[in-house]
Amino acid sequence: MQPMNLHFDIRDLFKAPRLGLGGKKIWILLQVNLIGYLIYFILTYLSLLFNGWNLKEIWDQFGLYPYLLTAEFSVFSLILWIIGSISWTISISLGMTAVARVTYKQLKGDGFYSSSDAFNYVKKHWHAPVFTPISILIILFIFVFMAILFALVGKIPFVGELFVGIPYLIWFVGSIFVAYTSIVLFVSIFFTNSIVATMEEDTMGSVFHNYSITWSQPWRIILYLPIIFSLVYFSTCLLAYLSDIAFQLINIVFGHDMLMGSKLGRMMQWSNNIVFDPLIALFSPLAPFEGLLNSYYLPDTSNLMGTMEHIGSTFISLSLFIITIIIFSYSLSVAIVGQTITIIIFRMKTEKDNLLERKDEEELELENEDDWSFDSDNNIKNEETEIIE
């Protein structure tokens, strides 16, 4: 098992689009996205129902992509929506940790590391991806709360002025730390999953490493993140464009007048209205999905659809929705692969520690199992010898 040859510099980031296109990685992210989306979808619909809407109104207004930003809502509805949003976010975070682990093992030369192995790893380490940003946010909140508390003390006549003035340097240092922690919180959003996957850290270790890389690698962070997300954008646009070509080919063949003709046009237009139109309206500035829309404007789409056409269109809509989630999952895959490579580069630059050559916990467990089995066999043989003697 030979590690992949890396330059340990910016050139390695450009491997992300290719490595991110692994079926194993996209499959992991597709699963967690569908689970997270289902929870979000149900809770958001429930929140709108509790707010006085009926199902037809919700579907007509939001369809597959419900949200509360343009609707009046009660506190209970807001809580349900927040729970759904957090659930989807956590699901994606755990999935990205699993993909980061698969990427790390792949870079080490282990191409047989499965998605099940990755999920088992996440089960052991799920606390760190979830609680590391929360821990940093709590640290930030504590310092802000203390600043407010001391400011209130400063309102006390005579004593307050001295309390603020004499230790002013302390308040200044504390203010710098709050600003620094705010930056660390931002950095943790991008690198915590990769830290947990490659360094096998718990929550406190992940918090420490986020502070460390923010302090030691600020210019590389500023340089690497825009490159990673530029790669995400262009690779997603390319995949969307290739999908557009595939859709057009289907439309040319199946939509020919001698074959399905206008029937396909009606079905595809209906499916497009369900899946892509609302999505493009929501994310039109991002544009990678916009090209897909052009594939569905076929002639004779104004005719009424029959029952079987509606059933067939429902399955087409489901397929288009899954394809959309796959494209989104690929975007996340490229991002987390780039971030994982970045963490490996940072570790090499700061500590001269090549994480690809270090034995990870699964390799150590396997070695311990082999040693235990060998010792057990020897013990059994020794016991048999003693009995014979």
Side-chain angles (χ1 to χ4, degrees), residues 36-48:
Y37 167 81
L38 185 61
I39 297 171
Y40 171 83
F41 182 85
I42 293 172
L43 291 179
T44 304
Y45 262 66
L46 284 175
S47 69
L48 291 168

Side-chain angles (χ1 to χ4, degrees), residues 249-267:
L249 181 60
I250 293 173
N251 292 337
I252 290 171
V253 176
F254 285 78
H256 193 275
D257 292 337
M258 296 180 62
L259 300 174
M260 292 186 68
S262 61
K263 181 187 293 187
L264 178 66
R266 291 192 297 270
M267 295 172 66

